[in-house]
Amino acid sequence: MDKITSLRMENITKTFPGMKALDNVTIEVKEGEIFALVGENGAGKTTLMNVLMGLYQSDGGCIILNGQKVCFTSPNDSFGCGIGMVHQRYMLVPNLTVKENIALGLKKAWKKVKLDMDFVVSKIEEIGEKYDLVVDPDAYIWQLSVGEQQKVELVKTLCLGAKFLILDEPTSALTPQEIDELIQLLKTMNKKLPMIFISHKLKEVKELSHKLAILRHGKIVFCGDTNDYSSSDIAALMTGREVKMPENNEEKEFGDYALELKNVNVKSIRGFLALNDLNLKVRSGEIMGLAGVSGNGQLELAQIINGLRKIDGGEILFLNEHIENTSPIDIIQKGMGYIPEDRNTEGIVPSFSIKENLILKDIENEQFSNHTIINNKAINDNAEKLREQFDIRCVNTSLSAGALSGGNIQKVILAREIARKPKFLVAVYPTRGLDMGAAQFIHSKLLEMRKNGVGILLISEELDEIMNLSDNIAVIFKGHIQKVLPAKTATRREIGMLMAGVNND
Amino acid sequence: MDFIVNILALGIPFSVALLLASIGEMFNQRSGIFNLGCEGIMAMGAFIGMLIPYSVGQGGATAEIYNFLGIIAGALVGALLGLVFGVVVITFKAKQGIAGIGMQLFCVGAAGTLFRHFVGGTQSIPGIGKFYIPLLSKIPILGQIFFSHNILVYIAFLFVPLSVYILFKTPWGLRVRAVGTYPRAADSLGINVNRVRFQALAVGGALAGLAGAYLSLCQAKMFSDEMIAGRGFIAVALVYFGHWDPIKIMWGALLFSLAQSFQLAVQGQGINFPYEFAVMLPYVLVILTLAFSRDKKKQEPAALGIAFDREKRT
Ligand SMILES: Nc1ncnc2c1ncn2[C@@H]1O[C@H](COP(=O)(O)OP(=O)(O)OP(=O)(O)O)[C@@H](O)[C@H]1O
Ligand SMILES: [Mg+2]
């Protein structure tokens, strides 16, 4: 088969214990088309794609490729037909290097007694040049930020070659520029191959796709041509209501300085200075947005504040107490809240149940245990309360958290961190992977915390998010705060210049 | 001087059984499966290894051939038992810890029973003698320490660079490492996770069987029920302490065996030293040294001990 001219999934049904994840779903993608799949967190998008890849076996329905019925029992079968997928949860082995991860799928590099690594590297370079996607082939995956990993996942899929491409939220961890570039790239690639594109950002969907289907609770509730509908139409169809993002427009007095970083220096895992003489002060009740291109020290900054990394020089004061190089538990007990970037390794314990994940930081708290025996009733009640409040979509809270959809995992972390009532919150990409309704809810929660006098350091790549929510915006470049601007008067242009390292004063 | 040379010359062959078994276990664990049955597989390897030359080829010109066959048979039995273990923990998804203990008890028991049935009582065999490497073995001191051993000793040490090569340079080694750390990723690329694990178990079992055959054919030159004496478990421990790195595992095995040989020498000399402490020495030394070395390259197979289930998300 040298071309995929049509792909049809017909009446696909899939049940997991206790729930129907897909209910009679039918979609069809034709030659030259980009087909967008949208829907709320937990609607079943990833599940549908996993069925297409042969990773999940459907209970009913079939896949028809170029008019012929096919049966995929493993990813080997779907690969054989030329289907490639960029997974939402990156399929990268953390203790292998980038090139090893790519070699794993690149059968041409599998010489009998030796891996042909030169071939792999040349392939990576070829793809990198062709599509302007640069990755370091020798870096270990565990050394990379989530954004870099997303690029590797993309490069990997491109290196392996595909005649049909599935992209499951490929842009969630990329910077705005990278997203623009990727969209252009996908447009050119589409001339040769059809694609399925999943995203929560309707702007991307509008720009890229020809056709669009909306999934809700495992059913297709809408299917049509993208051009016939505006973003707000689609949003309304998706959530059943109008979605308006809240804004920070309430004047208020700030409290004392809650978090102060003075002349902080940190070396990165790969040797260079990740934070370079960094100074930053955030008051109680203030939302400080941190803008910057990812990889400029945001990750390290979040980690040192939470005691997850040692600093090599400088001071960190939290409510006037030194917290540099102390332990995470001390900092948590002083009232720090943290929404980490990497939700699967730092945010939750995937094999623990949802309700356990919701009290991970508070198990020593009298509410949940008397230091010897766990109070199960309190834990259950807490979980039920948060599940309802944060709309965590799950069969029940005793299931392992890893079984949740990507967006719902994020909700578990947010629920835990916000419900603990911290005195300060470090929020790293808090709405990454959330659907619009959930993002709106989180934004209003953050503003509510601000109102209650909690200081927030909001790290994000979405300028909209930062400009909507912040009181002040600090721009980070190469581990140094370039400038702090009041959000009211800051312009996108000015922030963009600072992010690129141009500082006029 | 002689005292030290003796310790070294004895310690090196002592380390061979540990080295082979733990490199085998390292392959198991790299693929995500820990096999506590190592001890048992060694016992079976030891028994089968001695049974063949004992029953067919005592003495005479063909003895060497039968010794060789014994070694091969020991490795084959080990590979087979590795696959049986695979059926239990991969196909039927039994918990690996408890299945390993079962494997160990079963194999040690079976080896003893078969031994009594086919052989009867303790019988010594000529076994495999030393192989003096021409010229090199004539070098004073060094010759005695390094170049006057049984042929399997040299082979065993060759396995160290060989396994580094296999693990880090071959496609199969890459698959093994991927499958042991993040099987889902390997699976998503069309790699048959369970098949790779079966292969690794066969390799690991073969090396454990070989280690057993070495003990009966080269070291003890006989078989008895208790001859493995916990080496299988030490091998498993060495893999953890050596952070799944063949070179570090080799140092661990050497350290342990040299301490052992030192301990025996001290006792043999009648030096007044509490016997209990002397026996403890190798264990304490290995635990201390290796416990302080760090897993800098993060080699730990994160999926160790977890059966792979494609549709289960955790
Ligand atoms: N392997 C699994 N075992 C149990 N439940 C599962 C499994 N995979 C998915 N689910 C459930 O199926 C539902 C759909 O999940 P899916 O990951 O397809 O959602 P999604 O539309 O991709 O959401 P998101 O936008 O958050 O990524 C969720 O409720 C999820 O908990
Ligand atoms: Mg998804």
Side-chain angles (χ1 to χ4, degrees), chain A residues 41-42 44-47 88 168-169 198 200 405-407, chain B residues 313:
Chain A
N41 296 128
K45 304 177 294 291
T46 301
T47 306
Q88 179 180 18
D168 193 354
E169 301 194 23
I198 299 176
H200 290 294
S405 81
Chain B
R313 265 209 227 168

Side-chain angles (χ1 to χ4, degrees), chain A residues 379-435:
Chain A
I379 292 175
N380 285 334
D381 292 349
N382 178 61
E384 281 314 313
K385 195 182 85 204
L386 294 179
R387 172 189 177 181
E388 193 162 318
Q389 200 183 347
F390 285 79
D391 189 26
I392 300 169
R393 305 265 169 95
C394 58
V395 179
N396 64 59
T397 54
S398 308
L399 290 179
S400 68
L404 290 174
S405 81
N408 281 297
I409 290 179
Q410 186 72 358
K411 289 189 205 165
V412 169
I413 300 168
L414 289 159
R416 179 183 69 219
E417 295 303 322
I418 293 176
R420 295 184 67 241
K421 298 213 164 58
K423 298 194 180 106
F424 193 90
L425 181 69
V426 179
V428 189
Y429 312 123
T431 54
R432 182 179 275 177
L434 290 187
D435 65 46

Side-chain angles (χ1 to χ4, degrees), chain B:
Chain B
M1 191 68 201
D2 262 4
F3 181 68
I4 294 172
V5 172
N6 262 330
I7 290 174
L8 292 173
L10 276 177
I12 288 176
F14 270 171
S15 69
V16 167
L18 278 180
L19 183 60
L20 287 172
S22 50
I23 286 189
E25 181 71 20
M26 188 269 308
F27 277 110
N28 292 344
Q29 296 200 4
R30 281 279 189 170
S31 82
I33 292 177
F34 66 101
N35 186 352
L36 278 181
C38 188
E39 173 96 1
I41 298 182
M42 288 174 80
M44 280 301 265
F47 166 66
I48 297 289
M50 78 79 71
L51 182 69
I52 288 182
Y54 168 79
S55 50
V56 285
Q58 293 262 35
T62 52
E64 284 303 322
I65 295 177
Y66 289 110
N67 281 334
F68 176 71
L69 283 180
I71 299 257
I72 299 290
L76 283 180
V77 161
L80 192 70
L81 288 168
L83 293 175
V84 170
F85 189 66
V87 172
V88 178
V89 299
I90 298 172
T91 314
F92 296 112
K93 297 196 166 76
K95 290 280 176 219
Q96 293 174 16
I98 201 75
I101 294 174
M103 186 82 189
Q104 183 259 334
L105 291 172
F106 168 77
C107 289
V108 170
T113 309
L114 293 171
F115 173 70
R116 264 179 292 284
H117 183 74
F118 288 108
V119 183
T122 308
Q123 295 278 353
S124 75
I125 48 167
I128 300 176
K130 287 182 181 174
F131 175 73
Y132 297 93
I133 296 183
L135 299 177
L136 289 178
S137 59
K138 297 285 185 302
I139 305 171
I141 300 178
L142 291 183
Q144 192 190 345
I145 297 176
F146 294 113
F147 304 112
S148 311
H149 297 300
N150 193 295
I151 186 100
L152 268 180
V153 177
Y154 310 119
I155 293 178
F157 278 91
L158 280 182
F159 270 117
V160 177
L162 186 66
S163 58
V164 172
Y165 183 87
I166 290 177
L167 213 48
F168 294 102
K169 299 282 179 206
T170 66
W172 185 73
L174 181 64
R175 290 199 287 271
V176 168
R177 284 184 293 147
V179 153
T181 307
Y182 194 10
R184 202 166 295 283
D187 184 50
S188 81
L189 290 171
I191 288 166
N192 188 331
V193 173
N194 288 347
R195 185 189 300 158
V196 175
R197 289 183 165 179
F198 266 111
Q199 290 163 345
L201 278 178
V203 170
L207 285 169
L210 190 62
Y214 170 85
L215 282 178
S216 65
L217 280 167
C218 306
Q219 196 164 312
K221 304 203 163 107
M222 54 165 257
F223 177 84
S224 84
D225 284 23
E226 302 93 33
M227 71 180 300
I228 310 298
R231 284 186 183 84
F233 290 109
I234 295 167
V236 175
L238 281 178
V239 176
Y240 278 91
F241 286 128
H243 304 307
W244 301 271
D245 176 344
I247 311 253
K248 280 197 204 166
I249 289 171
M250 176 188 78
W251 291 126
L254 273 174
L255 186 69
F256 184 86
S257 311
L258 291 176
Q260 185 85 318
S261 133
F262 169 76
Q263 178 265 117
L264 289 174
V266 166
Q267 286 192 55
Q269 297 260 319
I271 295 170
N272 196 359
F273 189 73
Y275 149 81
E276 291 84 355
F277 283 109
V279 177
M280 256 166 61
L281 181 73
Y283 300 88
V284 173
L285 256 184
V286 167
I287 290 175
L288 280 183
T289 357
L290 293 174
F292 281 108
S293 74
R294 286 272 150 272
D295 183 12
K296 275 207 209 77
K297 286 195 237 144
K298 304 214 182 200
Q299 295 293 0
E300 177 165 8
L304 189 57
I306 306 166
F308 176 62
D309 189 342
R310 184 183 278 158
E311 300 224 349
K312 206 161 147 192
R313 265 209 227 168
T314 44

Side-chain angles (χ1 to χ4, degrees), chain A residues 351-400:
Chain A
S351 56
F352 280 21
S353 66
I354 298 164
K355 60 183 182 193
E356 285 164 340
N357 271 293
L358 284 169
I359 52 129
L360 269 191
K361 287 188 172 173
D362 293 302
I363 191 59
E364 290 291 322
N365 187 329
E366 268 151 43
Q367 194 189 344
F368 298 118
S369 79
N370 61 4
H371 302 289
T372 327
I373 294 169
I374 292 177
N375 182 347
N376 273 320
K377 180 158 185 326
I379 292 175
N380 285 334
D381 292 349
N382 178 61
E384 281 314 313
K385 195 182 85 204
L386 294 179
R387 172 189 177 181
E388 193 162 318
Q389 200 183 347
F390 285 79
D391 189 26
I392 300 169
R393 305 265 169 95
C394 58
V395 179
N396 64 59
T397 54
S398 308
L399 290 179
S400 68

Side-chain angles (χ1 to χ4, degrees), chain A residues 37-319:
Chain A
L37 198 56
V38 296
E40 295 173 318
N41 296 128
K45 304 177 294 291
T46 301
T47 306
L48 185 65
M49 293 304 106
N50 281 339
V51 168
L52 180 52
M53 283 309 284
L55 282 162
Y56 287 171
Q57 296 305 308
S58 63
D59 308 328
C62 60
I63 300 170
I64 299 165
L65 205 62
N66 291 354
Q68 260 170 356
K69 203 167 155 182
V70 287
C71 180
F72 294 155
T73 54
S74 95
N76 236 350
D77 301 338
S78 47
F79 273 142
C81 290
I83 303 178
M85 175 159 171
V86 172
H87 292 265
Q88 179 180 18
R89 197 187 288 181
Y90 313 135
M91 291 298 169
L92 300 169
V93 185
N95 65 2
L96 299 186
T97 58
V98 169
K99 61 181 181 192
E100 283 177 325
N101 266 287
I102 291 169
L104 202 55
L106 204 58
K107 298 225 165 68
K108 274 198 202 128
W110 295 8
K111 299 283 147 58
K112 267 246 149 45
V113 290
K114 195 165 179 346
L115 271 169
D116 188 354
M117 277 303 179
D118 294 338
F119 174 73
V120 180
V121 172
S122 70
K123 192 91 197 175
I124 296 174
E125 279 166 0
E126 180 195 319
I127 295 289
E129 259 165 47
K130 198 158 149 199
Y131 301 120
D132 206 16
L133 280 166
V134 184
V135 294
D136 173 5
D138 293 308
Y140 283 94
I141 299 299
W142 59 264
Q143 297 174 321
L144 303 179
S145 72
V146 176
E148 288 170 299
Q149 290 184 30
Q150 187 152 49
K151 270 201 268 180
V152 175
E153 177 81 13
L154 253 167
V155 170
K156 181 180 82 177
T157 312
L158 295 175
C159 280
L160 303 186
K163 297 175 206 138
F164 187 101
L165 204 54
I166 303 169
L167 300 136
D168 193 354
E169 301 194 23
T171 57
S172 60
L174 297 184
T175 63
Q177 292 95 309
E178 284 170 334
I179 292 177
D180 289 342
E181 284 164 26
L182 180 68
I183 300 264
Q184 290 316 316
L185 164 70
L186 293 178
K187 272 187 179 165
T188 30
M189 286 172 62
N190 176 238
K191 296 199 181 94
K192 284 185 225 105
L193 72 176
M195 301 177 190
I196 295 179
F197 179 79
I198 299 176
S199 175
H200 290 294
K201 297 176 195 153
L202 294 185
K203 194 170 141 257
E204 297 166 9
V205 170
K206 274 294 286 177
E207 195 172 342
L208 202 55
S209 69
H210 307 105
K211 279 242 174 72
L212 163 99
I214 299 177
L215 263 179
R216 193 188 299 160
H217 298 300
K219 286 198 187 90
I220 296 276
V221 293
F222 171 83
C223 197
D225 285 337
T226 316
N227 278 338
D228 299 348
Y229 301 86
S230 71
S231 287
S232 47
D233 290 343
I234 301 170
L237 283 166
M238 228 166 86
T239 49
R241 66 193 157 96
E242 201 188 346
V243 181
K244 185 157 180 341
M245 286 298 179
E247 279 175 33
N248 178 356
N249 45 21
E250 191 180 324
E251 292 288 333
K252 72 185 284 265
E253 292 284 305
F254 302 124
D256 295 333
Y257 284 113
L259 180 75
E260 294 169 77
L261 293 114
K262 295 179 186 162
N263 308 95
V264 174
N265 282 318
V266 171
K267 279 212 198 67
S268 82
I269 347 177
R270 280 178 280 170
F272 53 88
L273 266 188
L275 296 182
N276 185 359
D277 195 24
L278 181 135
N279 289 288
L280 186 64
K281 290 178 174 182
V282 188
R283 288 163 290 192
S284 313
E286 175 181 6
I287 298 187
M288 175 67 79
L290 188 77
V293 177
S294 90
N296 273 293
Q298 292 97 324
L299 195 59
E300 287 82 0
L301 178 61
Q303 288 176 336
I304 56 163
I305 298 173
N306 289 284
L308 296 165
R309 180 190 280 267
K310 298 252 177 293
I311 64 173
D312 301 305
E315 298 174 53
I316 309 174
L317 292 168
F318 177 38
L319 303 172

Side-chain angles (χ1 to χ4, degrees), chain A residues 12-15 20-25 43-44 47-48 51 215 218:
Chain A
I12 304 285
T13 301
K14 175 79 192 167
T15 35
K20 214 169 200 168
L22 293 174
D23 189 359
N24 246 322
V25 173
T47 306
L48 185 65
V51 168
L215 263 179

